[in-house]
PDB file of all heavy atoms in Angstrom:
ATOM      1  N   ASP A  23       7.679  24.936  -3.826  1.00 82.00           N
ATOM      2  CA  ASP A  23       7.417  24.543  -2.444  1.00 82.00           C
ATOM      3  C   ASP A  23       8.739  24.308  -1.725  1.00 82.00           C
ATOM      4  O   ASP A  23       8.948  24.744  -0.581  1.00 82.00           O
ATOM      5  CB  ASP A  23       6.587  23.258  -2.462  1.00 82.00           C
ATOM      6  CG  ASP A  23       5.679  23.173  -1.246  1.00 82.00           C
ATOM      7  OD1 ASP A  23       5.041  24.192  -0.946  1.00 82.00           O
ATOM      8  OD2 ASP A  23       5.645  22.094  -0.615  1.00 82.00           O
ATOM      9  N   GLU A  27      10.367  26.279   1.391  1.00 85.00           N
ATOM     10  CA  GLU A  27      10.633  25.593   2.645  1.00 85.00           C
ATOM     11  C   GLU A  27      12.087  25.814   3.088  1.00 85.00           C
ATOM     12  O   GLU A  27      12.369  26.047   4.272  1.00 85.00           O
ATOM     13  CB  GLU A  27      10.338  24.088   2.486  1.00 85.00           C
ATOM     14  CG  GLU A  27      10.250  23.388   3.829  1.00 85.00           C
ATOM     15  CD  GLU A  27       9.803  21.936   3.711  1.00 85.00           C
ATOM     16  OE1 GLU A  27       9.539  21.468   2.594  1.00 85.00           O
ATOM     17  OE2 GLU A  27       9.752  21.292   4.758  1.00 85.00           O
ATOM     18  N   HIS A  31      13.358  27.640   6.407  1.00 85.00           N
ATOM     19  CA  HIS A  31      14.276  26.963   7.303  1.00 85.00           C
ATOM     20  C   HIS A  31      15.446  27.890   7.664  1.00 85.00           C
ATOM     21  O   HIS A  31      15.817  28.038   8.840  1.00 85.00           O
ATOM     22  CB  HIS A  31      14.780  25.704   6.622  1.00 85.00           C
ATOM     23  CG  HIS A  31      15.434  24.706   7.543  1.00 85.00           C
ATOM     24  ND1 HIS A  31      15.259  23.371   7.449  1.00 85.00           N
ATOM     25  CD2 HIS A  31      16.290  24.901   8.588  1.00 85.00           C
ATOM     26  CE1 HIS A  31      15.952  22.755   8.368  1.00 85.00           C
ATOM     27  NE2 HIS A  31      16.592  23.671   9.089  1.00 85.00           N
ATOM     28  N   ASP A  37      17.080  33.506  12.734  1.00 87.00           N
ATOM     29  CA  ASP A  37      16.401  34.079  13.910  1.00 87.00           C
ATOM     30  C   ASP A  37      17.024  33.549  15.205  1.00 87.00           C
ATOM     31  O   ASP A  37      17.304  34.282  16.151  1.00 87.00           O
ATOM     32  CB  ASP A  37      14.910  33.686  13.913  1.00 87.00           C
ATOM     33  CG  ASP A  37      14.140  34.533  12.913  1.00 87.00           C
ATOM     34  OD1 ASP A  37      14.740  35.443  12.319  1.00 87.00           O
ATOM     35  OD2 ASP A  37      12.935  34.224  12.709  1.00 87.00           O
ATOM     36  N   ASP A  38      17.264  32.262  15.180  1.00 84.00           N
ATOM     37  CA  ASP A  38      17.802  31.600  16.363  1.00 84.00           C
ATOM     38  C   ASP A  38      19.189  32.147  16.713  1.00 84.00           C
ATOM     39  O   ASP A  38      19.479  32.434  17.897  1.00 84.00           O
ATOM     40  CB  ASP A  38      17.877  30.091  16.087  1.00 84.00           C
ATOM     41  CG  ASP A  38      17.517  29.310  17.320  1.00 84.00           C
ATOM     42  OD1 ASP A  38      16.919  29.936  18.241  1.00 84.00           O
ATOM     43  OD2 ASP A  38      17.821  28.099  17.369  1.00 84.00           O
ATOM     44  N   TYR A  57      23.386  24.981   7.944  1.00 80.00           N
ATOM     45  CA  TYR A  57      22.479  24.301   7.028  1.00 80.00           C
ATOM     46  C   TYR A  57      23.216  23.364   6.093  1.00 80.00           C
ATOM     47  O   TYR A  57      22.727  22.289   5.724  1.00 80.00           O
ATOM     48  CB  TYR A  57      21.715  25.350   6.194  1.00 80.00           C
ATOM     49  CG  TYR A  57      20.606  24.753   5.370  1.00 80.00           C
ATOM     50  CD1 TYR A  57      19.351  24.545   5.937  1.00 80.00           C
ATOM     51  CD2 TYR A  57      20.808  24.392   4.040  1.00 80.00           C
ATOM     52  CE1 TYR A  57      18.345  23.983   5.207  1.00 80.00           C
ATOM     53  CE2 TYR A  57      19.812  23.833   3.295  1.00 80.00           C
ATOM     54  CZ  TYR A  57      18.556  23.621   3.882  1.00 80.00           C
ATOM     55  OH  TYR A  57      17.564  23.081   3.146  1.00 80.00           O
TER      56      TYR A  57
ATOM     57  N   TYR B  27      12.988  22.741  10.434  1.00 87.00           N
ATOM     58  CA  TYR B  27      13.974  23.351  11.311  1.00 87.00           C
ATOM     59  C   TYR B  27      13.785  22.851  12.732  1.00 87.00           C
ATOM     60  O   TYR B  27      14.758  22.477  13.417  1.00 87.00           O
ATOM     61  CB  TYR B  27      13.836  24.886  11.265  1.00 87.00           C
ATOM     62  CG  TYR B  27      14.652  25.574  12.343  1.00 87.00           C
ATOM     63  CD1 TYR B  27      16.060  25.515  12.321  1.00 87.00           C
ATOM     64  CD2 TYR B  27      14.044  26.273  13.375  1.00 87.00           C
ATOM     65  CE1 TYR B  27      16.810  26.120  13.289  1.00 87.00           C
ATOM     66  CE2 TYR B  27      14.770  26.883  14.362  1.00 87.00           C
ATOM     67  CZ  TYR B  27      16.166  26.825  14.333  1.00 87.00           C
ATOM     68  OH  TYR B  27      16.912  27.428  15.307  1.00 87.00           O
ATOM     69  N   GLN B  45      21.655  20.842   8.781  1.00 74.00           N
ATOM     70  CA  GLN B  45      20.221  21.071   8.855  1.00 74.00           C
ATOM     71  C   GLN B  45      19.531  20.607   7.560  1.00 74.00           C
ATOM     72  O   GLN B  45      18.425  20.076   7.605  1.00 74.00           O
ATOM     73  CB  GLN B  45      19.962  22.567   9.069  1.00 74.00           C
ATOM     74  CG  GLN B  45      20.417  23.066  10.423  1.00 74.00           C
ATOM     75  CD  GLN B  45      19.312  23.009  11.442  1.00 74.00           C
ATOM     76  OE1 GLN B  45      18.163  22.850  11.091  1.00 74.00           O
ATOM     77  NE2 GLN B  45      19.656  23.144  12.709  1.00 74.00           N
ATOM     78  N   TYR B  49      15.990  16.792   4.451  1.00 83.00           N
ATOM     79  CA  TYR B  49      14.962  16.915   3.394  1.00 83.00           C
ATOM     80  C   TYR B  49      14.624  15.624   2.655  1.00 83.00           C
ATOM     81  O   TYR B  49      13.458  15.300   2.482  1.00 83.00           O
ATOM     82  CB  TYR B  49      15.311  18.035   2.424  1.00 83.00           C
ATOM     83  CG  TYR B  49      14.950  19.358   3.035  1.00 83.00           C
ATOM     84  CD1 TYR B  49      15.905  20.184   3.582  1.00 83.00           C
ATOM     85  CD2 TYR B  49      13.603  19.731   3.125  1.00 83.00           C
ATOM     86  CE1 TYR B  49      15.561  21.356   4.216  1.00 83.00           C
ATOM     87  CE2 TYR B  49      13.250  20.898   3.735  1.00 83.00           C
ATOM     88  CZ  TYR B  49      14.231  21.722   4.283  1.00 83.00           C
ATOM     89  OH  TYR B  49      13.873  22.861   4.902  1.00 83.00           O
ATOM     90  N   TRP B  65       1.286  24.461   5.268  1.00 89.00           N
ATOM     91  CA  TRP B  65       1.994  25.686   5.618  1.00 89.00           C
ATOM     92  C   TRP B  65       1.281  26.384   6.771  1.00 89.00           C
ATOM     93  O   TRP B  65       0.070  26.448   6.842  1.00 89.00           O
ATOM     94  CB  TRP B  65       2.074  26.602   4.409  1.00 89.00           C
ATOM     95  CG  TRP B  65       3.089  26.090   3.420  1.00 89.00           C
ATOM     96  CD1 TRP B  65       2.872  25.211   2.403  1.00 89.00           C
ATOM     97  CD2 TRP B  65       4.475  26.407   3.407  1.00 89.00           C
ATOM     98  NE1 TRP B  65       4.019  24.926   1.742  1.00 89.00           N
ATOM     99  CE2 TRP B  65       5.056  25.664   2.317  1.00 89.00           C
ATOM    100  CE3 TRP B  65       5.302  27.227   4.187  1.00 89.00           C
ATOM    101  CZ2 TRP B  65       6.396  25.725   2.010  1.00 89.00           C
ATOM    102  CZ3 TRP B  65       6.649  27.285   3.854  1.00 89.00           C
ATOM    103  CH2 TRP B  65       7.195  26.540   2.791  1.00 89.00           C
ATOM    104  N   ARG B  72       6.926  33.737  11.520  1.00 87.00           N
ATOM    105  CA  ARG B  72       7.553  33.274  10.280  1.00 87.00           C
ATOM    106  C   ARG B  72       6.710  32.151   9.669  1.00 87.00           C
ATOM    107  O   ARG B  72       6.171  31.320  10.401  1.00 87.00           O
ATOM    108  CB  ARG B  72       8.967  32.729  10.572  1.00 87.00           C
ATOM    109  CG  ARG B  72       9.913  33.710  11.202  1.00 87.00           C
ATOM    110  CD  ARG B  72      10.312  34.776  10.210  1.00 87.00           C
ATOM    111  NE  ARG B  72      11.400  35.593  10.743  1.00 87.00           N
ATOM    112  CZ  ARG B  72      11.873  36.678  10.143  1.00 87.00           C
ATOM    113  NH1 ARG B  72      11.296  37.075   9.009  1.00 87.00           N
ATOM    114  NH2 ARG B  72      12.854  37.369  10.662  1.00 87.00           N
ATOM    115  N   GLU B  73       6.707  32.120   8.334  1.00 87.00           N
ATOM    116  CA  GLU B  73       5.956  31.016   7.713  1.00 87.00           C
ATOM    117  C   GLU B  73       6.845  29.778   7.625  1.00 87.00           C
ATOM    118  O   GLU B  73       8.067  29.884   7.407  1.00 87.00           O
ATOM    119  CB  GLU B  73       5.426  31.411   6.329  1.00 87.00           C
ATOM    120  CG  GLU B  73       6.477  31.528   5.250  1.00 87.00           C
ATOM    121  CD  GLU B  73       5.909  31.389   3.851  1.00 87.00           C
ATOM    122  OE1 GLU B  73       4.663  31.173   3.716  1.00 87.00           O
ATOM    123  OE2 GLU B  73       6.687  31.466   2.905  1.00 87.00           O
ATOM    124  N   TYR B  77       4.900  19.480   9.460  1.00 92.00           N
ATOM    125  CA  TYR B  77       4.624  18.077   9.138  1.00 92.00           C
ATOM    126  C   TYR B  77       3.848  17.446  10.284  1.00 92.00           C
ATOM    127  O   TYR B  77       4.249  17.548  11.438  1.00 92.00           O
ATOM    128  CB  TYR B  77       5.928  17.303   8.918  1.00 92.00           C
ATOM    129  CG  TYR B  77       6.668  17.795   7.681  1.00 92.00           C
ATOM    130  CD1 TYR B  77       7.574  18.845   7.748  1.00 92.00           C
ATOM    131  CD2 TYR B  77       6.425  17.186   6.440  1.00 92.00           C
ATOM    132  CE1 TYR B  77       8.232  19.292   6.623  1.00 92.00           C
ATOM    133  CE2 TYR B  77       7.094  17.627   5.306  1.00 92.00           C
ATOM    134  CZ  TYR B  77       7.980  18.682   5.395  1.00 92.00           C
ATOM    135  OH  TYR B  77       8.620  19.117   4.283  1.00 92.00           O
TER     136      TYR B  77
END
Side-chain angles (χ1 to χ4, degrees):
Chain A
D23 210 46
E27 196 174 358
H31 196 140
D37 284 355
D38 218 16
Y57 189 85
Chain B
Y27 170 66
Q45 292 267 347
Y49 281 102
W65 286 88
R72 301 289 190 187
E73 71 158 359
Y77 294 88

